[in-house]
Amino acid sequence: MQESAPSHEPPPMSTPQEYVQQKAAASGSSFYYAFLFLPPPRRAAITAFYAFCREVDDVVDEVSDAGVAASKLAWWRGEVARAFAGQATHPAMQALMPHAAAYGIESRHLLAVIEGCEMDLTQTRYLDFPALERYCHLVAGVVGEVAARIFGQTQEATTAYAHKLGLALQLTNIIRDVGDDAMRGRIYLPINELQQFDVKAHEITNRAHSPRFVALMQFQADRARRCYDEALALLPDADRRAQKPGLMMASIYRTLLDEVQAENFQVLHQRISLTPLRKLWLAWKMQALGRF
């Protein structure tokens, strides 16, 4: 079968660098605010890497036919191979590859992200937390590892911090997006934990908010907070300054988690978020004052 190229093509006059910049800015993601404070070479690298992640993630979220989505992800696997052979064709990869050697970005990192997105095509439930943790490792832990390298990692122990922080951020995403994900037929909350709190899957898909659901979500939020604490404890002092963008993300997402809890986990009918100004303030506070 002929693999089809992604539909995310740049405007005719766009350079790869302009393309990834537009992709990052248009996403409205909290990550964008953390990138703003980086020196230009690192900012260019993380923006290109983030654009790659968005491209792959968008395949799963925007392509309704699983077969077509699988073909597009197969195309991306081929594109990674082409890119590391010096023949990148997609603007996201053309923007990323000049930075790969300098920041230790390897094909295995990009292939892991693709593998994680492929899981979304074949798996909509997770039996227990270790199973969910495997998914989070691919779509968030590996992303954190690459980001830490781009930010200026010097200590080997920082990799463990990056993976734990990636897990904390992904768990926060899962909590915030329970309603949206259920509408796509996916429930990331582990099955055995739904059973523990007597919450049925159909209650989530039917958006039935209940005290049992709140207790389940409180359990999820408590675990996410432990992951933030564990991540910060793992970060070596020698790398704390360089890893400020990741700490900005921790500040923004932990504040988001607080907001979700303050709203009594009303995530089935709405997507709770922080305003751009508040995200920028939290990022600046970490940059300037070094604290949450």
Side-chain angles (χ1 to χ4, degrees), residues 21 24-37 47 50 249:
Q21 178 65 33
S27 73
S29 169
S30 303
F31 287 85
Y32 181 68
Y33 297 89
F35 301 167
L36 294 175
F37 297 91
T47 300
Y50 177 75
M249 291 305 309

Side-chain angles (χ1 to χ4, degrees), residues 63-86:
V63 179
S64 56
D65 186 308
V68 173
S71 293
K72 287 181 177 290
L73 291 179
W75 184 92
W76 274 106
R77 282 183 176 277
E79 175 67 1
V80 169
R82 286 188 293 274
F84 278 86

Side-chain angles (χ1 to χ4, degrees), residues 53-71:
C53 293
R54 283 253 46 93
E55 293 286 352
V56 175
D57 193 53
D58 286 350
V59 169
V60 176
D61 286 345
E62 296 177 1
V63 179
S64 56
D65 186 308
V68 173
S71 293

Side-chain angles (χ1 to χ4, degrees), residues 184-200:
R184 294 188 172 106
R186 301 185 201 123
I187 298 177
Y188 292 100
L189 306 175
I191 292 171
N192 68 338
E193 294 173 8
L194 267 69
Q195 294 170 338
Q196 179 183 339
F197 290 91
D198 193 28
V199 175
K200 305 294 190 292

